Amino acid sequence: MRLILLSPPGAGKGTHCAWLTRETGVAHISSGDLLRAEIARGSGLGRRLAEYTGRGALVPDDVMFDLLVPVVVAAERDTGGYLLDGFPRTMPQALRAQEIGREQDLGADAVVYLSAPEPVLVARLLSRAADQGRTDDDPEVIRHRLTVFTEATAPLVDFYRDRGLLLEVDADRPVPEIRLDLRRRLAERGLLSE
Ligand code: AMP
């Protein structure tokens, strides 16, 4: 299964990806985790990336593709698919990803859009900040990340809907309920068993 998870920060991508990976065996690839790993290595590139992630700004597309494409290719080879979490996040990324997907026969089977009202997202991000201490979970950066989502990422919802790939799931519900819904929606497309 090749799946893209598209959702605003705080909608629960991480939680649902962990479950989906267990269910399907395909690799969970989080663009944010890849960036944080590079930053943790303390490389020159990592230091440059931290300037973007620390502000809640998107890192340049070229860097994102350089880091991500080899990981997606390896996931497809080793696990028969991928679960892409946090990518693509802009129209240029979506268009380029579609092109690479076509060229390398790596295109997504479906795109899950986890939606939730903004106050719910803010509350979740603030509580995660208290639990995990992520530096980009402070109130000002959270507001900026949500604005970036609305401006840069939200247009992808229509892009994938128009291509018949979008599965919109209401994420403002208890996790087990969301899971059931996700399973049902993916099963309808023959991507997961009921
Ligand atoms: P996340 O863990 O998905 O919330 O991502 C954390 C941060 O990493 C974001 O606020 C961005 O700064 C950066 N980031 C993650 N994915 C992307 C992407 N696809 N394109 C550009 N920047 C990204």
Side-chain angles (χ1 to χ4, degrees), residues 132-154:
Q132 300 178 3
R134 248 177 72 169
T135 51
D136 57 352
D137 274 345
D138 85 46
E140 201 172 315
V141 179
I142 285 172
R143 258 194 306 279
H144 185 59
R145 286 162 63 210
L146 288 168
T147 305
V148 168
F149 178 82
T150 306
E151 288 175 358
T153 312

Side-chain angles (χ1 to χ4, degrees), residues 54-132:
R55 286 186 282 127
L58 297 177
V59 308
D61 288 351
D62 284 344
V63 184
M64 199 66 254
F65 276 88
D66 286 351
L67 280 175
L68 201 65
V69 173
V71 178
V72 174
V73 170
E76 173 73 23
R77 185 193 59 222
D78 299 340
T79 71
Y82 57 75
L83 203 58
L84 258 179
D85 158 6
F87 176 93
R89 243 171 161 108
T90 64
M91 277 308 295
Q93 287 184 3
L95 291 167
R96 196 157 143 197
Q98 194 184 42
E99 209 177 284
I100 296 173
R102 233 184 258 129
E103 281 166 11
Q104 307 203 24
D105 194 19
L106 275 175
D109 299 314
V111 177
V112 171
Y113 171 43
L114 296 171
S115 61
E118 188 159 320
V120 172
L121 300 172
V122 173
R124 284 196 193 157
L125 289 165
L126 286 173
S127 101
R128 182 169 84 185
D131 293 346
Q132 300 178 3

Side-chain angles (χ1 to χ4, degrees), residues 15-16 19 173-183:
T15 305
H16 296 296
W19 171 72
R173 293 180 293 170
V175 169
E177 228 175 274
I178 300 171
R179 227 172 246 185
L180 268 179
D181 203 8
L182 261 174
R183 179 185 289 286

